[in-house]
Amino acid sequence: PNDNSMVIIAATNRPAAIDVAFRRRFKKRAYIALPSAEERKEFMQSYLDAKPDKYSINDTELDSLVEKTDRFSGADLNELFSSAFDRRRSELLDEAYADGGPAAGQKLSMSDVVVNIDVMLKAVVSCPANITEQERLGYDSTAHLYLKM
């Protein structure tokens, strides 16, 4: 590269939606497949390890969660954990204010928010994968056109 060179790095979950003439200008394209079950488990375990006081999920429950997150990207998994935490916080607030307000002296703190498998499974339903099975099959069928990453 000389001083006039430019490097453009872009990412999309929808390569077919990009104009063909525009795509043609990019000589190198990479296909990064969705994470496998093993990779999703590793991602989730890392998330749980980083916030052990916020999530109470054992190994068996984690395996169940991995099964239910097929087609989830890394961004989808991140959103899943955030959504589950927000859901649990909302549940606790609803419980605290169910009778018109918290009991005298009662305070709700962030340390009270602990997400269990039930909350995570509800979040899976409300935060489905952004890629449909049909889309994934389409991407996988054209993967040979891209560099492998």
Side-chain angles (χ1 to χ4, degrees):
N2 60 37
D3 291 342
N4 295 326
S5 294
M6 183 184 315
V7 175
I8 297 174
I9 298 174
T12 182
N13 287 338
R14 311 264 191 258
I18 299 172
D19 180 70
V20 175
F22 184 76
R23 270 188 297 172
R24 201 173 31 240
R25 288 174 170 70
F26 295 96
K27 302 295 183 213
K28 291 187 180 179
R29 297 180 207 130
Y31 174 73
I32 302 172
L34 292 171
S36 66
E38 183 179 313
E39 292 166 330
R40 290 193 313 277
K41 184 173 183 175
E42 185 178 323
F43 177 96
M44 289 187 229
Q45 189 62 61
S46 295
Y47 203 101
L48 296 172
D49 290 345
K51 300 180 180 188
D53 56 328
K54 299 292 177 205
Y55 296 90
S56 177
I57 297 173
N58 66 37
D59 290 341
T60 303
E61 294 167 338
L62 180 59
D63 289 340
S64 173
L65 193 56
V66 167
E67 288 178 24
K68 296 185 183 315
T69 55
D70 187 38
R71 295 189 333 269
F72 275 56
S73 66
D76 292 336
L77 292 172
N78 198 42
E79 177 61 27
L80 173 66
F81 276 84
S82 293
S83 176
F85 185 82
D86 291 344
R87 174 183 291 274
R88 183 61 185 139
R89 185 181 57 216
S90 293
E91 288 174 355
L92 289 173
L93 286 170
D94 289 347
E95 291 169 13
Y97 287 90
D99 296 322
Q106 179 186 4
K107 293 182 181 179
L108 181 65
S109 74
M110 294 302 276
S111 63
D112 295 326
V113 182
V114 178
V115 176
N116 62 25
I117 189 64
D118 294 331
V119 176
M120 289 298 296
L121 294 175
K122 289 176 188 173
V124 167
V125 173
S126 66
C127 293
N130 284 309
I131 302 294
T132 66
E133 182 62 21
Q134 184 177 359
E135 288 171 323
R136 178 171 65 177
L137 292 173
Y139 298 152
D140 288 349
S141 71
T142 60
H144 66 281
L145 300 173
Y146 301 92
L147 297 171
K148 299 290 183 194
M149 300 300 275

